Amino acid sequence: MCGRFTLTTPLEGLRDLFGFEERPNLAPRANIAPTQDVLAVRADAEGARHAAMLRWGLVPGWAKDLSIGARMINARAETVREKSAFRRPFAKRRCLIAADGFYEWQAREAGPKQPYRVARRDGGPFAFAGLWEKWRDPSDEGASVVETCTILTTAASALLEPIHHRMPVMFFDEADFDAWLGTELGEQQAAELFSPREPSPLVVYPVSTKVNRVANDDLSLIEPVEVERSSGPGNPRQPNLL
């Protein structure tokens, strides 16, 4: 799954990568959490890309309130076409969610789970495959529209499998951006996009358990830490750090 991520890249670097003209007011974030606003990139009918801040946790149009979004921060790529909450967004409302790292937690024999950060080797930004939706409070005729989103997940790559069996669907280049935001997405093309990205562009390293608290959101969270390693019986296999 993907439950926390980072976006510390300056705005100009994001505009260069994704090709949008807007200038949202972004502060470096080291611990983005569900129900918070995230930077998404969408394409209009002419293919031009635009940035928007969307609430993380997709809320279907038929939902009675926003609370359901906290349970829809991720959508499984394998079943996204089948689920009523995601079927229409997959067909009509795909987006890129900007990031430059994400966290996963590995269970240990004793003590709390150990968090790891996954990022590009060069530290640059990338995109998660996202879906977005519109929602309006049905109990309030004057309510404004809320735009929400979810992150697609797929089976973990060989690099990440020792930590968690799932990982976000990640895109690194213009060809993938265009394919995901395009109006037509065939089944075979979708399957190729959903396959785990090769681990070569990525590094994974342990970080402080301070990331466990949503209130903590400073750049010290992305710094590597030392963790005790053990290969004894019952201890989880450690990832190969690159």
Side-chain angles (χ1 to χ4, degrees):
M1 64 175 296
C2 179
R4 304 280 182 83
F5 66 95
T6 68
L7 185 60
T8 62
T9 304
L11 177 61
E12 289 309 310
L14 298 172
R15 294 177 76 232
D16 288 344
L17 178 65
F18 295 113
F20 59 82
E21 295 186 358
E22 292 81 6
R23 294 181 174 272
N25 185 19
L26 295 177
R29 297 290 312 280
N31 199 8
I32 299 171
T35 75
Q36 296 177 351
D37 287 348
V38 301
L39 178 66
V41 179
R42 304 180 288 195
D44 62 23
E46 285 72 44
R49 296 179 190 167
H50 301 279
M53 301 303 293
L54 308 181
R55 178 186 169 106
W56 184 16
L58 189 138
V59 180
W62 43 258
K64 294 182 179 180
D65 58 62
L66 281 170
S67 64
I68 193 174
R71 304 193 301 274
M72 294 192 177
I73 64 170
N74 292 158
R76 292 177 67 92
E78 299 90 336
T79 59
V80 69
R81 298 172 187 263
E82 304 165 13
K83 303 297 184 181
S84 60
F86 304 131
R87 189 181 303 117
R88 184 174 69 169
F90 178 79
K92 301 292 185 181
R93 293 174 174 164
R94 298 188 294 273
C95 65
L96 304 170
I97 297 176
D100 54 23
F102 67 94
Y103 301 105
E104 288 292 359
W105 281 258
Q106 183 184 49
R108 294 189 287 185
E109 190 174 60
K113 292 181 178 181
Q114 173 61 51
Y116 287 82
R117 183 172 184 254
V118 183
R120 286 178 55 142
R121 183 182 294 276
D122 63 6
F126 52 85
F128 297 133
L131 307 177
W132 67 278
E133 185 57 283
K134 295 180 179 181
W135 179 83
R136 190 193 301 270
D137 187 345
S139 66
D140 183 357
E141 292 184 359
S144 58
V145 171
V146 179
E147 294 184 331
T148 64
C149 64
T150 190
I151 295 171
L152 271 68
T153 66
T154 188
S157 67
L159 176 68
L160 298 182
E161 189 276 333
I163 300 175
H164 196 276
H165 67 285
R166 303 288 295 177
M167 65 180 289
V169 175
M170 305 170 69
F171 301 143
F172 299 100
D173 56 45
E174 188 70 15
D176 284 348
F177 298 165
D178 277 342
W180 182 244
L181 294 178
T183 56
E184 299 295 333
L185 187 64
E187 187 170 339
Q188 179 60 37
Q189 188 179 33
E192 293 173 358
L193 290 173
F194 293 160
S195 63
R197 301 287 100 174
E198 290 298 318
S200 56
L202 302 178
V203 293
V204 54
Y205 60 88
V207 295
S208 170
T209 54
K210 291 189 300 182
V211 75
N212 296 352
R213 294 190 65 234
V214 174
N216 295 331
D217 189 3
D218 63 81
L219 295 183
S220 70
L221 298 183
I222 68 175
E223 296 298 323
V225 300
E226 293 291 332
V227 296
E228 181 179 349
R229 292 179 174 274
S230 172
S231 58
N235 286 301
R237 181 164 57 96
Q238 297 291 337
N240 295 317
L241 303 185
L242 297 184

